[in-house]
Amino acid sequence: MLDLKLIRERPEEVEKALSRRNGGYSIQPILEIDQRYRQVIGDWEALNRRSNEISDLFKTGKAPKGQIDALRKESKDIKKDSVEIEACKRELEEKIDALVFAVPNLPDASVPDGPDETANAEVSHWGEKPSLENPRHHYEIGEELGIFDFERGVKLAESRFTVLMDMGARLERALMNFMLDLHASKGYREVFPPILVNRQCMMGTGQLPKFEGDFYKCADDELYLVPTAEVPVTNLYRDEVLKQEELPIYHCAYTPNFRREAGSAGKDTRGYIRQHQFNKVELVKFCLPEESEDEHERLTRDAEAVLEALELPYRRMLLCAGDMGFSARKCYDLEVWFPAQDKYREISSCSNFGDFQARRTNLKYKPSDGGKARYMHTLNGSGLAIGRTLAAILENYQLSDGTVKVPSALVPYLNGVTVLRPRGQADPVGAGVQL
């Protein structure tokens, strides 16, 4: 969340920055309630001072004899008024918290203006797009290979849940292990967190309260299925004060993820791109404020390294202010090439949140010089979305005879399998596996 002191002292600057986001946000309600709150605080402090004065008069025996009854009555009235003011104070605190928690992060100065994805800026691109005649969609390839079972996914759950069979399941697992191993080699400590989290965790990373309807929630408990490993991993150190010497901290985590995808009806409903349940490896960083910009660039490069190892063409996009997520102050999207769609599709978002999430989770560090504890900065990015990576491999590595080549980086994770073949197609010795 934003610093209330910043909102109070520089309201015009805050509103100008927020106006860059799609639709803008008014902070006037916050300022109005904050003014009332400070008035109530002043009244509450004045009552406490007067209560202490009366108490001292009685303790020291200096209460004028002719005013003893009046002072006792005044003391009783002060206690009554204090109860009412305390209740008013709590009510205003709750209102301020609710309003501040609903305000998004301020875009970084380097973020371009724009209302939506059409204003995003390409920063770089990598790899050669495959030359394919009449490329098939990943879902067509997957069904022919027998690795996607969309119908049984619907039977077991509902639409946009998919069963992976045989080499589909093995590929998904191979990608997960490959990504985790690659990130571990770069210094990320692996975490395997719970996939159910409490409301405080969801509030801390910014999923709630704004996006309440987007997530799956347990009926009998205040627990949510994780929409991304960012949520539990960022909350690992919630309400803790770490030592400066402990930073930066790098974590990587695999989790299944669950999203209702409210409002996305009609978008990518066919295939394995936009699922209600999907697997992902997440990268999360905790660092010093002065290092977060450099750490953001390094985190993005770590996500790009996965695509480069798999030899998948991609581009890096700097998101405009109107297209950024709620909690981000700067975000790069990595988009992988899909030949059948003839366009790039998002496969990772790498975000720098500044101290936005740290304020929501009360996440601080103690400077080595012994100064006052400060909020650290948090960052995260997909490293990568496994299902979309699998789909991209099927499209980019498809061959004219119906087979799909396995990226060389994955061959060791598939016991030497180099080619995926449709069911019933003969498997030449040493060429791969017959599904």
Side-chain angles (χ1 to χ4, degrees):
M1 64 183 178
L2 299 184
D3 183 359
L4 183 57
K5 184 179 179 182
L6 174 66
I7 296 174
R8 182 187 299 146
E9 296 180 354
R10 293 148 67 183
E12 292 182 0
E13 181 181 329
V14 171
E15 283 219 322
K16 183 178 180 181
L18 289 173
S19 70
R20 300 179 61 205
R21 284 188 171 269
N22 203 352
Y25 293 80
S26 174
I27 60 170
Q28 290 307 309
I30 297 174
L31 295 174
E32 291 170 5
I33 294 178
D34 180 58
Q35 185 176 9
R36 287 172 53 198
Y37 176 74
R38 284 185 286 165
Q39 290 172 348
V40 168
I41 289 292
D43 293 342
W44 180 74
E45 290 175 346
L47 283 177
N48 279 340
R49 283 196 300 271
R50 182 54 181 160
S51 178
N52 290 335
E53 289 172 0
I54 294 173
S55 179
D56 287 341
L57 288 174
F58 280 108
K59 286 180 181 178
T60 60
K62 294 180 180 180
K65 292 183 179 180
Q67 298 180 22
I68 289 178
D69 289 342
L71 288 172
R72 284 176 176 165
K73 182 179 183 304
E74 184 182 357
S75 180
K76 186 179 294 186
D77 291 341
I78 287 173
K79 289 179 181 179
K80 180 180 177 182
D81 291 343
S82 292
V83 171
E84 294 176 358
I85 288 181
E86 281 280 3
C88 182
K89 177 171 163 284
R90 285 194 300 271
E91 181 183 351
L92 292 173
E93 285 174 343
E94 290 173 0
K95 287 183 177 179
I96 291 174
D97 285 346
L99 289 171
V100 173
F101 267 76
V103 177
N105 205 350
L106 304 182
D108 187 77
S110 63
V111 171
D113 288 327
D116 52 39
E117 62 184 13
T118 59
N120 295 341
E122 181 175 319
V123 176
S124 61
H125 63 273
W126 183 93
E128 293 292 328
K129 299 174 184 176
S131 179
L132 301 169
E133 288 188 16
N134 302 316
R136 293 174 298 156
H137 289 277
H138 69 277
Y139 47 83
E140 297 170 322
I141 300 169
E143 287 186 303
E144 187 173 325
L145 293 175
I147 65 176
F148 291 154
D149 195 328
F150 298 113
E151 292 183 2
R152 287 190 172 92
V154 174
K155 181 170 71 172
L156 296 179
E158 60 179 11
S159 63
R160 292 155 81 175
F161 286 86
T162 301
V163 176
L164 296 178
M165 301 293 290
D166 302 315
M167 284 302 295
R170 290 182 63 188
L171 262 174
E172 190 95 357
R173 177 161 50 89
L175 282 166
M176 175 190 73
N177 287 326
F178 164 68
M179 292 175 189
L180 289 172
D181 287 348
L182 181 61
H183 296 311
S185 72
K186 295 178 179 294
Y188 290 85
R189 294 169 54 201
E190 186 175 345
V191 179
F192 190 54
I195 61 170
L196 285 172
V197 293
N198 56 41
R199 186 177 182 84
Q200 193 174 358
C201 286
M202 297 283 279
M203 291 284 289
T205 46
Q207 278 74 23
L208 297 180
K210 185 174 177 61
F211 306 103
E212 184 81 48
D214 289 352
F215 311 111
Y216 289 97
K217 181 181 178 183
C218 297
D220 298 326
D221 302 280
E222 191 73 2
L223 293 173
Y224 295 79
L225 286 166
V226 296
T228 165
E230 167 199 348
V231 177
V233 177
T234 303
N235 279 273
L236 281 174
Y237 307 106
R238 186 179 71 222
D239 295 324
E240 294 185 27
V241 179
L242 305 181
K243 296 178 182 178
Q244 179 174 334
E245 293 74 19
E246 297 179 79
L247 301 178
I249 294 174
Y250 298 175
H251 283 307
C252 62
Y254 155 77
T255 59
N257 305 276
F258 305 87
R259 298 181 190 175
R260 298 176 63 86
E261 294 285 357
S264 65
K267 296 181 181 178
D268 306 316
T269 54
R270 188 174 184 183
Y272 200 49
I273 295 292
R274 194 181 293 273
Q275 298 280 288
H276 290 308
Q277 176 184 331
F278 59 98
N279 296 309
K280 185 156 61 78
V281 170
E282 194 76 2
L283 307 176
V284 178
K285 288 187 175 186
F286 306 84
C287 69
L288 300 175
E290 57 269 26
E291 296 177 356
S292 68
E293 186 173 344
D294 288 340
E295 291 290 359
H296 186 207
E297 296 296 325
R298 282 194 283 269
L299 182 144
T300 306
R301 282 297 302 141
D302 291 337
E304 290 175 336
V306 179
L307 292 166
E308 292 176 13
L310 295 172
E311 300 181 79
L312 292 171
Y314 72 92
R315 66 180 182 178
R316 182 197 292 203
M317 303 294 289
L318 174 60
L319 299 197
C320 70
D323 195 37
M324 276 200 310
F326 177 83
S327 299
R329 77 173 190 181
K330 184 175 182 178
C331 180
Y332 293 117
D333 268 8
L334 303 184
E335 298 179 346
V336 69
W337 179 249
F338 275 85
Q341 297 184 39
D342 193 32
K343 66 178 181 179
Y344 290 98
R345 299 298 307 271
E346 178 201 337
I347 198 166
S348 173
S349 287
C350 300
S351 301
N352 184 349
F353 304 108
D355 63 6
F356 189 81
Q357 290 182 333
R359 289 182 179 278
R360 297 170 77 101
T361 55
N362 192 30
L363 181 56
K364 298 181 179 181
Y365 72 95
K366 186 72 171 175
S368 55
D369 63 9
K372 185 179 178 181
R374 301 170 60 195
Y375 290 107
M376 63 183 68
H377 282 195
T378 63
L379 308 92
N380 85 271
S382 305
L384 301 164
I386 296 174
R388 292 193 177 197
T389 306
L390 193 159
I393 287 171
L394 294 180
E395 291 203 12
N396 283 276
Y397 281 86
Q398 62 181 294
L399 301 174
S400 58
D401 63 356
T403 62
V404 174
K405 183 182 175 183
V406 174
S408 58
L410 293 182
V411 172
Y413 292 87
L414 293 170
N415 295 325
V417 173
T418 59
V419 177
L420 308 181
R421 300 180 178 281
R423 287 184 179 279
Q425 187 178 115
D427 178 22
V429 176
V433 65
Q434 181 176 333
L435 296 174

